[in-house]
Amino acid sequence: MTSSRGFRSRMRTGVPSSEADVSRMAFLRRRSGRPKARSGRAWSIQSWRRGVTTAVTTRWMQWRTGPYGEMAARLSAPVRRVVAPVTGLGWGVLAIALLAIHCWRVTGWTEFLAAGLAGLVCVVAAFVLSWWQGRMLVELSLQVSRVTVGESVAGQLSVERLGRDVLLPAAVEVPVGEGCGRFHLPAGRGVRTEDFTVLTQRRGVIAVGPARSVSGDPFGMVRREQQWSEMLEVCVHPRTVDLPSLDAGLIRDLEGRSTMDPSPADLDFHTVRPYVPADDRRHVHWKATAKSRSTGQSESLLVKQYYDTRRSHLGLIVDIDESHYGDADDVEMALEVAASLAVRARRDELDVTVVAGPQVIDAPVVGRLLDGFARIELGPSRMVDAVLASVALAPQLSLVVFVIGQESDQDDLRLALTVLPASVRAVVLRVHPQVPSGPTDFPGAVAMSLARTADLPRLVRGGGL
């Protein structure tokens, strides 16, 4: 029989000497590949730890939200306000100083005492410097609050330092979008004016301010901030192109446009019909009634029949799902196209409703209309939901333009077209930079492809809209 020691040596060398060794090595390999089962003791320890963690967390939350927790929060609020300006570096220096003092008490070495006292003096001095900034009168202003992509905005910061005490140098920060501008103020009282420029590269809303003063020590152990002004906003509008009047596809109307829907009272007279009970007698056509009775054609009264007239209302459905476009620039081009159509419609005195995903723009003024485009955030969207929202907001729609990407869902678009009322005219504008601008085919709507925003006036002039 093979000894266990000899078998282990052959296992290390990897050379079996008999069939029994081969079968035993295969058994051990299969056994080593199996996951080891946890013992009951390991499972009990893990369950105990999980239970203790859950119990401690639950008790802590109950105590924090209970009356004792609220009382502790109120009592510790002044302390938290005092220590809030201390940065991580400040807490680190304070901990090292306290540790050094403890080492001095244990060992008696004066070097530890000197290091600890030096750290405490630095933290206290940082606190004193952070409080010694005085009061300020800060005015933050912008030259304009609405610009187009690529334009810049001039701003001005005016700071007046008040107080009778000796004022140390200070700094004022003005957050601009994701960045921040920092202005240094000299020591002493007086008025300091600084000019700055806000650059715009993409559509959106840029937050400017609020201006805050920053004081503390040169090493950054204490940083105290105090706001002195309100936040301002710069709306960066998408680029628009000048379009010809939309009269090529819509009737310019001051009193409304005629439809094929009959109406008992309106401005567009259509014909006369016999009187039926509940008709308003003010609409009786007396001359036609007298002529009909004199000729013996009819003995009943004849009333006027009208066609319903409505104001032209343009609906814009914009697909803002970035995955339906080639890149982010194509999405911005779609928004530029929609903004150009909306501005032209407002100048033609047409009502406009824009739906871009969950966001709705319905503003009577061009400036506020473009502000809505600046606030549009990209995200998933379904055109069916957008159409339902636009019909609910504006039941009198006369023309709906879909601005979509090259990868937009065709089934979603077909379903959206079926939701539209039969009297609404539909136009599909597909943004596709690789396809030449011109008419395309899509069942149930007038379809066009657009490669550049500059080609939009040619499509409008050609009668596509």
Side-chain angles (χ1 to χ4, degrees):
M1 178 171 294
T2 305
S3 64
S4 177
R5 181 178 299 176
F7 176 76
R8 285 196 296 268
S9 64
R10 288 190 295 274
M11 282 289 293
R12 287 193 296 268
T13 59
V15 180
S17 61
S18 63
E19 295 181 358
D21 291 346
V22 172
S23 60
R24 190 173 181 182
M25 290 172 64
F27 171 74
L28 292 176
R29 287 195 183 99
R30 291 195 300 269
R31 186 178 180 182
S32 62
R34 297 175 183 174
K36 295 183 179 180
R38 294 187 178 183
S39 62
R41 181 179 178 82
W43 279 108
S44 62
I45 293 176
Q46 185 177 4
S47 301
W48 178 79
R49 288 178 178 175
R50 188 183 299 110
V52 170
T53 303
T54 304
V56 171
T57 305
T58 305
R59 289 292 183 88
W60 166 251
M61 293 302 298
Q62 291 177 354
W63 181 87
R64 188 176 181 181
T65 57
Y68 294 104
E70 295 179 356
M71 182 184 300
R74 289 195 300 268
L75 295 177
S76 62
V79 179
R80 286 187 282 109
R81 284 196 298 268
V82 172
V83 300
V86 182
T87 63
L89 178 61
W91 287 115
V93 172
L94 183 60
I96 293 174
L98 296 177
L99 180 61
I101 293 176
H102 176 70
C103 293
W104 165 72
R105 296 185 61 183
V106 173
T107 62
W109 291 2
T110 57
E111 289 82 0
F112 284 120
L113 178 61
L117 293 178
L120 293 178
V121 169
C122 288
V123 174
V124 172
F127 259 104
V128 174
L129 291 175
S130 66
W131 281 104
W132 211 338
Q133 69 171 353
R135 295 182 297 108
M136 296 183 183
L137 182 61
V138 180
E139 182 179 356
L140 183 65
S141 60
L142 297 173
Q143 187 176 6
V144 292
S145 59
R146 296 184 176 101
V147 294
T148 308
V149 174
E151 299 178 350
S152 59
V153 180
Q156 188 177 75
L157 176 68
S158 178
V159 181
E160 181 181 1
R161 306 193 68 179
L162 308 174
R164 299 180 179 179
D165 299 333
V166 178
L167 301 177
L168 298 177
V172 176
E173 292 182 351
V174 179
V176 179
E178 298 180 356
C180 184
R182 188 180 180 91
F183 306 95
H184 295 277
L185 303 177
R189 293 181 295 273
V191 180
R192 181 76 177 271
T193 302
E194 295 285 350
D195 297 328
F196 61 93
T197 303
V198 180
L199 302 178
T200 61
Q201 298 179 352
R202 298 191 67 85
R203 176 195 57 84
V205 179
I206 301 177
V208 180
R212 59 175 182 253
S213 60
V214 180
S215 58
D217 62 292
F219 303 103
M221 291 185 292
V222 177
R223 175 186 172 90
R224 189 181 304 278
E225 298 179 358
Q226 189 172 358
Q227 296 184 2
W228 298 98
S229 69
E230 298 180 354
M231 185 184 67
L232 306 178
E233 287 185 345
V234 177
C235 291
V236 184
H237 297 167
R239 297 186 182 94
T240 57
V241 294
D242 292 333
L243 301 178
S245 177
L246 299 181
D247 295 344
L250 293 174
I251 299 177
R252 183 179 177 87
D253 55 344
L254 297 178
E255 298 177 345
R257 70 180 186 90
S258 300
T259 65
M260 299 303 296
D261 300 331
S263 175
D266 215 306
L267 298 177
D268 187 15
F269 174 72
H270 173 52
T271 185
V272 293
R273 59 174 177 81
Y275 175 85
V276 295
D279 279 341
D280 192 347
R281 295 197 176 190
R282 291 178 299 176
H283 300 301
V284 174
H285 200 303
W286 297 108
K287 292 184 178 180
T289 301
K291 184 177 180 180
S292 176
R293 288 185 176 183
S294 63
T295 58
Q297 295 179 0
S298 175
E299 294 296 330
S300 64
L301 299 176
L302 297 179
V303 297
K304 301 175 184 178
Q305 180 68 52
Y306 300 88
Y307 274 150
D308 191 14
T309 57
R310 304 172 184 170
R311 283 187 52 83
S312 298
H313 197 128
L314 173 63
L316 288 169
I317 310 297
V318 187
D319 187 0
I320 56 173
D321 194 339
E322 195 171 356
S323 62
H324 295 168
Y325 296 84
D327 51 24
D329 293 336
D330 294 347
V331 188
E332 296 301 325
M333 185 170 73
L335 291 173
E336 292 175 1
V337 170
S340 301
L341 292 172
V343 171
R344 180 69 262 181
R346 287 307 308 160
R347 290 175 180 171
D348 288 344
E349 299 181 0
L350 306 179
D351 296 330
V352 181
T353 300
V354 183
V355 180
Q359 301 153 95
V360 178
I361 308 172
D362 188 8
V365 184
V366 173
R368 294 183 180 178
L369 189 68
L370 292 176
D371 288 347
F373 276 96
R375 298 181 186 275
I376 291 178
E377 297 181 359
L378 306 184
S381 63
R382 296 180 68 246
M383 281 173 281
V384 176
D385 299 336
V387 168
L388 292 175
S390 62
V391 171
L393 292 172
Q396 306 296 331
L397 285 174
S398 54
L399 173 66
V400 174
V401 179
F402 295 86
V403 184
I404 63 176
Q406 58 265 38
E407 301 295 336
S408 295
D409 191 355
Q410 303 296 319
D411 295 334
D412 186 21
L413 180 58
R414 293 190 186 94
L415 185 59
L417 291 175
T418 60
V419 173
L420 285 175
S423 59
V424 179
R425 182 165 171 256
V427 177
V428 177
L429 268 176
R430 186 183 302 276
V431 175
H432 201 324
Q434 284 75 34
V435 177
S437 301
T440 58
D441 295 330
F442 196 87
V446 178
M448 291 176 288
S449 180
L450 186 66
R452 300 180 306 161
T453 309
D455 297 338
L456 185 60
R458 177 168 58 84
L459 297 179
V460 175
R461 196 177 297 109
L465 294 176

